[in-house]
């Protein structure tokens, strides 16, 4: 991710790095949204055509398993503070609550607004499922999960090292890597290792002839 951000203008890059955790969480959310949508529509249009809430619950559960791995090892990789078993239990508890939050907009669309076939056209039902159920559910669920994960699941910041650059043996962050690079250059000059190697001039034909006469 740092490689991609390095291609952006400095001002924008600094702003995104400042909110790197949120950016990663959003990218994980986008990935799990695709997983959620694929499973949901795959089930809803086939074996669970008459049971969209069950299809949604299964889709959210599968997406949650993927999101736990990605969030723990990438989005919140510097956060922690709990034993892994306790952390996983809290993660799935929060995600279980989020299942209800995710499915609430779909239930609202189907059973409160009554956007279901044959009361409305099949197109209206599907549009309601997508915009209210899918997009609305994901946005509300992500906001809840972002708050709950930081508050309860990964409450302490900086308890795991953030691996960014490797300079020699130690693993360094952006700031440490820059300092290390500057320090290495300074030490090289001080020890004489930074001096440019003096090149030997190439002999011309005239030089060879003079050497032969001598």
């Amino acid at each position: 991710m740092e490689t991609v951000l390095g291609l952006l203008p400095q001002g924008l890059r600094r702003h995104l790095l400042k909110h790197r955790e949120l950016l990663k969480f959003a990218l994980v959310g986008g990935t799990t949204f695709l997983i959620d949508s694929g499973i949901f529509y795959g089930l809803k249009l086939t074996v669970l055509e008459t049971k969209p809430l069950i299809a949604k619950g299964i889709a959210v559960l599968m997406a949650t398993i993927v999101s736990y791995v990605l969030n723990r090892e990438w989005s919140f990789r510097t956060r922690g503070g709990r034993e892994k078993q306790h952390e996983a239990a809290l993660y799935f508890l929060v995600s279980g609550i989020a299942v209800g939050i995710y499915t609430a907009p779909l239930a609202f669309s189907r059973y409160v607004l009554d956007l279901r076939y044959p009361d409305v056209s099949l197109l209206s039902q599907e549009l309601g499922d997508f915009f209210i159920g899918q997009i609305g559910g994901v946005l509300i669920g992500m906001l809840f999960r972002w708050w709950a994960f930081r508050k309860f699941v990964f409450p302490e910041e900086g308890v795991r090292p953030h691996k960014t650059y490797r300079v020699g043996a130690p693993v360094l962050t952006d700031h440490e890597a820059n300092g290390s690079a500057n320090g290495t250059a300074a030490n090289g000059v001080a020890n004489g290792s930074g001096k440019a190697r003096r090149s030997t001039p190439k002999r011309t034909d005239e030089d060879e002839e003079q050497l032969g006469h001598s």
Side-chain angles (χ1 to χ4, degrees):
M1 180 176 177
E2 284 76 12
T3 303
V4 176
L5 293 179
L7 302 176
L8 300 176
Q10 184 176 1
L12 178 59
R13 180 171 67 249
R14 186 183 298 111
H15 180 74
L16 291 177
L17 286 173
K18 183 179 179 181
H19 302 284
R20 173 167 34 193
E21 193 173 81
L22 178 59
L23 178 61
K24 289 181 177 181
F25 180 78
L27 290 174
V28 171
T31 301
T32 54
F33 172 76
L34 295 177
I35 295 173
D36 182 322
S37 298
I39 295 175
F40 173 60
Y41 280 104
L43 292 175
K44 188 172 78 75
L45 298 177
T46 55
V47 295
L48 294 175
E49 185 176 1
T50 60
K51 299 179 180 179
L53 294 183
I54 295 177
K56 183 62 176 177
I58 294 173
V60 170
L61 177 62
M62 299 304 296
T64 298
I65 295 173
V66 175
S67 74
Y68 173 66
V69 176
L70 294 178
N71 278 321
R72 187 182 192 279
E73 301 302 327
W74 194 50
S75 304
F76 302 110
R77 66 177 303 168
T78 64
R79 301 182 70 94
R82 301 188 186 280
E83 295 183 357
K84 192 171 182 179
Q85 296 83 354
H86 189 197
E87 176 187 275
L90 284 173
Y91 190 96
F92 282 93
L93 176 61
V94 168
S95 298
I97 297 172
V99 169
I101 296 175
Y102 274 110
T103 56
L106 178 61
F108 179 78
S109 174
R110 284 290 186 104
Y111 305 112
V112 176
L113 299 180
D114 208 24
L115 295 177
R116 51 181 172 168
Y117 184 81
D119 296 330
V120 297
S121 67
L122 187 60
L123 177 61
S124 297
Q125 173 186 285
E126 296 306 316
L127 289 175
D129 284 356
F130 182 74
F131 288 104
I132 300 176
Q134 279 296 100
I135 296 180
V138 166
L139 290 177
I140 296 172
M142 281 185 64
L143 290 174
F144 168 75
R145 282 153 55 91
W146 167 255
W147 170 79
F149 287 159
R150 289 169 57 90
K151 179 72 174 179
F152 302 110
V153 183
F154 309 106
E156 297 182 19
E157 188 175 0
V159 294
R160 292 190 292 167
H162 181 197
K163 298 179 181 180
T164 304
Y165 294 101
R166 184 177 296 273
V167 180
V171 176
L172 304 176
T173 62
D174 292 339
H175 179 71
E176 293 169 338
N178 291 335
S180 175
N182 294 335
T184 302
N187 290 336
V189 173
N191 296 331
S193 60
K195 294 180 179 179
R197 181 176 295 176
R198 183 176 298 172
S199 59
T200 303
K202 185 177 180 180
R203 291 175 179 174
T204 62
D205 294 338
E206 184 178 352
D207 292 334
E208 294 290 348
E209 184 177 353
Q210 290 178 357
L211 288 174
H213 288 310
S214 61

